[in-house]
Amino acid sequence: EWLEGTSARVKLLRQYDFVKYCGMDRRGCPVYLHLMGQADPVGIARETGQEAVLLHLLRQFEEQTAALRARFLETGRLVPGCVDLYDIGNYAGTPGFLKRGLGMIPLYTGFARVFDRVYPERVGVAFILRAPRLFDVVWRTIYPAIPEATRRKCRLFGPRSAAWLEELGSLVPPESIPSWLRTDDAAALGDGRSLGGLVPHGAACG
């Protein structure tokens, strides 16, 4: 369905998609960016159903899991999980940052039951980048529900790229890091505006 791209829910998912394939990390695993700062997964779920959002995320997880398996078969060594990027920047000025952030919690809490059960070792490290002060409200709300093992895999950073580039660069080559996360230059930050967006009510019918 996703490859055909003709169904109404796939068209809407593509229009408001906040997930981007970035390339491969230094160990041969796919790197994906989730631009949560301007995403509206609750709006997508409202218009297309929660299953559509879940399946969209699982496509990424399946690809990463297959890559981990392939690397093990090739080298005989376990790769300690993939690198995920969660960008909290709001380059497009999508409205309702806190409302959207808090609204995602019940949706992703339900998804997490599937993620933890089926893909327990998928994530090696999750970089949470450009988190503004307002994100503290969301983080404090979700933190108690995050398993201890997952907490240890999270790296939380503020708005300055210099804070994360060395650690991220040790795992991911420059060409697999989105341009707007390699610098704080205003021109480069504009490259992040195209992802996500607020989903209007009734968008799936239009």
Side-chain angles (χ1 to χ4, degrees):
E1 182 182 359
W2 177 261
L3 293 177
E4 290 179 358
T6 56
S7 70
R9 68 177 186 173
V10 168
K11 288 180 179 178
L12 188 141
L13 267 168
R14 288 185 171 179
Q15 182 176 355
Y16 295 98
D17 198 1
F18 55 93
V19 181
K20 171 184 172 65
Y21 169 72
C22 299
M24 306 296 278
D25 69 14
R26 296 189 185 277
R27 299 163 300 180
C29 186
V31 177
Y32 278 87
L33 167 83
H34 299 243
L35 214 170
M36 307 306 293
Q38 54 199 46
D40 186 15
V42 174
I44 297 174
R46 182 191 66 237
E47 298 297 317
T48 66
Q50 291 189 13
E51 181 190 42
V53 182
L54 177 60
L55 290 175
H56 185 45
L57 297 174
L58 294 185
R59 286 181 61 254
Q60 167 205 328
F61 295 176
E62 284 292 327
E63 182 180 345
Q64 289 179 315
T65 302
L68 291 172
R69 187 181 303 114
R71 291 297 292 167
F72 173 71
L73 293 174
E74 178 184 340
T75 66
R77 296 191 299 272
L78 286 173
V79 177
C82 295
V83 178
D84 282 347
L85 307 179
Y86 291 88
D87 186 355
I88 316 300
N90 190 0
Y91 312 102
T94 305
F97 177 88
L98 186 57
K99 180 180 179 180
R100 285 184 291 108
L102 293 174
M104 294 178 200
I105 295 174
L107 181 68
Y108 273 78
T109 298
F111 291 169
R113 299 187 186 100
V114 178
F115 300 162
D116 294 341
R117 185 180 307 118
V118 183
Y119 307 97
E121 302 300 328
R122 181 190 64 84
V123 179
V125 57
F127 286 85
I128 304 168
L129 310 172
R130 295 206 196 280
R133 290 183 180 273
L134 202 57
F135 180 69
D136 289 346
V137 177
V138 179
W139 186 244
R140 287 199 304 269
T141 303
I142 64 176
Y143 190 80
I146 301 175
E148 180 60 32
T150 303
R151 293 179 191 174
R152 291 195 296 267
K153 299 176 182 180
C154 294
R155 307 287 189 270
L156 181 61
F157 297 93
R160 300 301 178 191
S161 60
W164 65 73
L165 276 178
E166 181 176 358
E167 183 179 359
L168 178 58
S170 69
L171 299 171
V172 180
E175 62 270 18
S176 295
I177 302 175
S179 58
W180 63 89
L181 294 178
R182 299 196 302 262
T183 179
D184 299 323
D185 180 77
L189 297 183
D191 293 342
R193 293 174 184 160
S194 62
L195 293 175
L198 197 63
V199 182
H201 283 265
C205 301

